[in-house]
Amino acid sequence: MVADVEMKDSQAPPPSSTPSILQHLKDIASLIETGAYTKEARRILRAVRLTIMLRRNLRAPVVAAFLAVVLPPGSDAYLRLSSFLPRDDEHDMDVDTTTSAAAQVPTKHSQPEVEIYCYLLVLMFLIDQKRYNEAKACASSSISRLKSINRRTIDVLASRLYSYYSYSYELTNSLAEIRGELLALHRMATLRRDELGQETLLNLLLRNYLHYNLYDQAEKLRSKAPRFEAHSNQQFCRYLFYLGKIRTIQLEYTDAKESLLQAARKAPATAQGFRIQCNKWAVIVRLLLGEIPERTVFMQKGMKKALTPYFELTNAVRVGDLELFRTVADKFADTFGSDRTRNLIVRLRHNVIRTGLRNISISYSRISLTDVAKKLRLDSDNPVADAESIVAKAIQDGAIDATIDHANGCMVSKETGDVYSTNEPQIAFNSRIAFCLNMHNEAVKALSFPRNSRKEKESKEKKQGRQQQEKELAKHIADDDDIDF
């Protein structure tokens, strides 16, 4: 008898879990209402962050009960959003308990911010449940509703809706369908002076173009889009990452390196996948620039396994072994293909040959072109002629300090001079100073705080009190002077 009771108690779900989540959602709705009434966007931003914390615990009965609380039962938003939620018989008990709790609240939230938040909540729930077709329909409905609302307190929720709108179409491989809609939304955000929306939609459009390798169109849009001070660190990091990819394809490796490293540095520690992608592209760009990344780049916490292919690739480039480079490229061809860096790795072949040639130039004062071709492992029909052209190009570019003896068919290396007699140390020192100054300027710009009218009022009152005390003190001093006189 006792065992049966214990078994029933162990099988029963905790009764307090569902009402607690519903209560949290009610508190979030109240927070959004307060933010909309006081026109404080930070409250709405906090509500979005609290929702992300509850995201994993959302269930269909809880969401349905929340919609019954905050939306009028006969409204279009309630009917539309309720149609996206599943209705299972096994959750009837949960629905009854939550709706009974909801019936105790007679008031209905009529703020547009709360309605848009309901769209966002249902959209997040559908994506988590992997119901992507319903998510696409819900996202389209939310965008249609959002177009009719022009309030600055809704910008934070709108930016999130834009992101999930694009993400739902990306999950179904249909990003090209919404490109025109994203452009129209960006134009609408520009006319409404919604800077956060412009920032988000610009990144979504860049991601849309880069997804289909339309780098020229992405650069045209980026160059003509209005730029302003970043409002979201996440969106600014994404923009730097997309800018770095565009600059890499356009052979502007120096600017690409700066953008990618800055994006990896500014990204939050929790965004592990984003930081891995930034480091992958940054490693390739540094190799294309002739630099060798430090080993610590590949040994960062949580990134070692993902960066292993690029570590082996870096080792092949550092040694200058063309055969090892081919082996690594073939071994991790699938990884490089999924990362969309295969075309960039093809460009690295020239750098591998140049690195090997530089090592040969340092090791030998005189070497035949036949031996150069063998050491570089050139697999062409006429390796000696290819070696001669490669050496000539390297000499012209200044990669090696040597001459070609065409009569004897050999390469003659010159004696290495003192590097401190050149301008290279000055150039390196100047680049480091510019980097430090840029970081200092960005840190100073980040030192901004929201205005607090209460503090300003208190400081004004203190100032008036201090002036009054000074007047009284001056009067007492004057009176004392009169008495002394």
Side-chain angles (χ1 to χ4, degrees):
M1 186 71 176
V2 177
D4 294 340
V5 173
E6 291 179 354
M7 184 180 297
K8 291 179 181 179
D9 292 340
S10 62
Q11 291 177 354
S16 61
S17 60
T18 302
S20 63
I21 299 173
L22 180 59
Q23 186 60 42
H24 283 312
L25 292 176
K26 292 179 184 177
D27 296 340
I28 291 173
S30 301
L31 186 62
I32 292 175
E33 271 203 326
T34 305
Y37 179 74
T38 59
K39 296 183 179 180
E40 291 180 309
R42 60 183 181 86
R43 294 181 181 270
I44 301 177
L45 181 60
R46 182 186 174 193
V48 173
R49 291 175 178 172
L50 292 174
T51 306
I52 294 176
M53 295 172 60
L54 298 174
R55 184 173 179 176
R56 294 183 179 179
N57 299 324
L58 290 178
R59 299 292 181 268
V62 180
V63 178
F66 175 70
L67 296 180
V69 172
V70 299
L71 295 177
S75 62
D76 294 338
Y78 177 76
L79 297 176
R80 189 178 298 111
L81 291 175
S82 299
S83 64
F84 295 122
L85 298 176
R87 301 181 180 276
D88 299 334
D89 295 336
E90 60 185 23
H91 298 299
D92 286 343
M93 184 64 68
D94 296 335
V95 174
D96 293 338
T97 57
T98 54
T99 52
S100 62
Q104 300 175 3
V105 184
T107 59
K108 300 294 181 182
H109 299 265
S110 58
Q111 291 283 351
E113 289 81 3
V114 177
E115 181 182 345
I116 296 300
Y117 173 75
C118 292
Y119 276 105
L120 178 62
L121 184 68
V122 174
L123 181 56
M124 292 168 57
F125 173 76
L126 292 175
I127 292 177
D128 291 340
Q129 297 296 318
K130 298 183 179 180
R131 301 173 59 189
Y132 300 137
N133 292 327
E134 289 90 342
K136 287 171 59 176
C138 179
S140 300
S141 300
S142 64
I143 294 299
S144 300
R145 179 69 180 96
L146 193 62
K147 289 180 179 179
S148 60
I149 305 173
N150 184 11
R151 301 176 69 169
R152 298 287 67 79
T153 52
I154 216 165
D155 292 347
V156 176
L157 297 172
S159 65
R160 294 281 179 168
L161 268 182
Y162 297 147
S163 300
Y164 286 112
Y165 173 60
S166 177
Y167 185 54
S168 61
Y169 277 83
E170 183 178 357
L171 290 172
T172 55
N173 258 339
S174 54
L175 267 179
E177 298 178 7
I178 62 170
R179 190 179 303 155
E181 184 67 24
L182 290 177
L183 288 169
L185 289 172
H186 186 270
R187 182 171 60 252
M188 181 186 71
T190 305
L191 295 175
R192 292 180 176 180
R193 300 186 183 277
D194 177 11
E195 295 185 352
L196 182 58
Q198 294 179 57
E199 197 174 14
T200 304
L201 289 166
L202 177 61
N203 287 333
L204 294 177
L205 284 166
L206 293 178
R207 183 181 182 89
N208 196 309
Y209 284 123
L210 298 184
H211 183 78
Y212 295 99
N213 296 325
L214 302 175
Y215 287 91
D216 292 338
Q217 296 185 28
E219 172 58 21
K220 290 179 181 178
L221 172 66
R222 188 209 64 81
S223 61
K224 295 181 180 179
R227 293 299 304 161
F228 37 78
E229 186 178 355
H231 292 265
S232 171
N233 181 62
Q234 298 177 356
Q235 297 299 334
F236 185 53
C237 291
R238 292 190 181 99
Y239 174 78
L240 290 174
F241 176 61
Y242 299 144
L243 178 61
K245 293 177 72 173
I246 294 172
R247 290 287 183 259
T248 303
I249 298 300
Q250 294 178 338
L251 306 179
E252 299 177 9
Y253 298 133
T254 303
D255 296 339
K257 172 192 168 185
E258 182 180 353
S259 298
L260 292 170
L261 292 179
Q262 190 177 4
R265 187 177 67 252
K266 284 180 172 292
T270 55
Q272 194 78 1
F274 179 79
R275 293 173 63 228
I276 288 175
Q277 288 296 323
C278 291
N279 280 281
K280 286 179 179 180
W281 279 76
V283 167
I284 296 294
V285 171
R286 293 183 67 178
L287 291 175
L288 289 169
L289 282 170
E291 303 176 4
I292 302 298
E294 300 81 4
R295 184 180 289 266
T296 55
V297 174
F298 306 97
M299 301 301 170
Q300 299 180 58
K301 184 179 179 181
M303 300 186 187
K304 184 176 179 181
K305 183 178 179 181
L307 295 179
T308 298
Y310 295 88
F311 175 72
E312 296 189 16
L313 184 70
T314 302
N315 187 41
V317 175
R318 180 181 62 83
V319 175
D321 191 343
L322 193 59
E323 188 64 29
L324 179 61
F325 174 77
R326 293 197 197 99
T327 304
V328 173
D330 294 338
K331 180 181 178 181
F332 299 103
D334 295 337
T335 303
F336 297 144
S338 60
D339 293 338
R340 298 194 173 191
T341 55
R342 186 180 298 172
N343 293 334
L344 301 177
I345 291 172
V346 172
R347 299 182 189 178
L348 280 175
R349 181 179 180 275
H350 181 68
N351 293 59
V352 175
I353 294 175
R354 179 171 291 188
T355 303
L357 187 60
R358 189 182 298 114
N359 295 335
I360 293 172
S361 173
I362 295 173
S363 303
Y364 297 91
S365 60
R366 187 182 185 90
I367 185 173
S368 64
L369 296 176
T370 304
D371 293 337
V372 171
K374 289 181 181 179
K375 289 184 177 296
L376 293 178
R377 299 183 182 182
L378 300 177
D379 54 350
S380 59
D381 297 335
N382 193 354
V384 178
D386 290 345
E388 184 176 1
S389 61
I390 290 172
V391 171
K393 184 67 168 61
I395 293 173
Q396 182 182 2
D397 295 342
I400 60 174
D401 192 7
T403 57
I404 300 177
D405 187 356
H406 295 281
N408 299 320
C410 60
M411 180 183 72
V412 180
S413 301
K414 297 180 180 179
E415 295 184 1
T416 56
D418 185 12
V419 70
Y420 289 99
S421 63
T422 64
N423 293 331
E424 291 186 10
Q426 181 183 359
I427 295 173
F429 190 58
N430 184 43
S431 64
R432 294 179 183 179
I433 292 176
F435 175 78
C436 293
L437 289 175
N438 187 25
M439 181 180 294
H440 175 267
N441 293 335
E442 291 179 358
V444 171
K445 290 179 180 179
L447 293 174
S448 60
F449 301 92
R451 298 181 61 184
N452 194 328
S453 58
R454 181 179 298 177
K455 288 184 178 180
E456 291 179 356
K457 185 176 180 181
E458 292 176 354
S459 62
K460 187 176 181 180
E461 293 176 355
K462 289 181 180 180
K463 184 178 179 181
Q464 292 177 353
R466 180 175 52 81
Q467 292 176 351
Q468 185 67 23
Q469 291 178 358
E470 291 175 355
K471 289 180 180 179
E472 293 177 358
L473 181 60
K475 184 178 180 181
H476 286 304
I477 293 173
D479 294 339
D480 293 341
D481 292 339
D482 293 340
I483 294 172
D484 293 339
F485 181 77

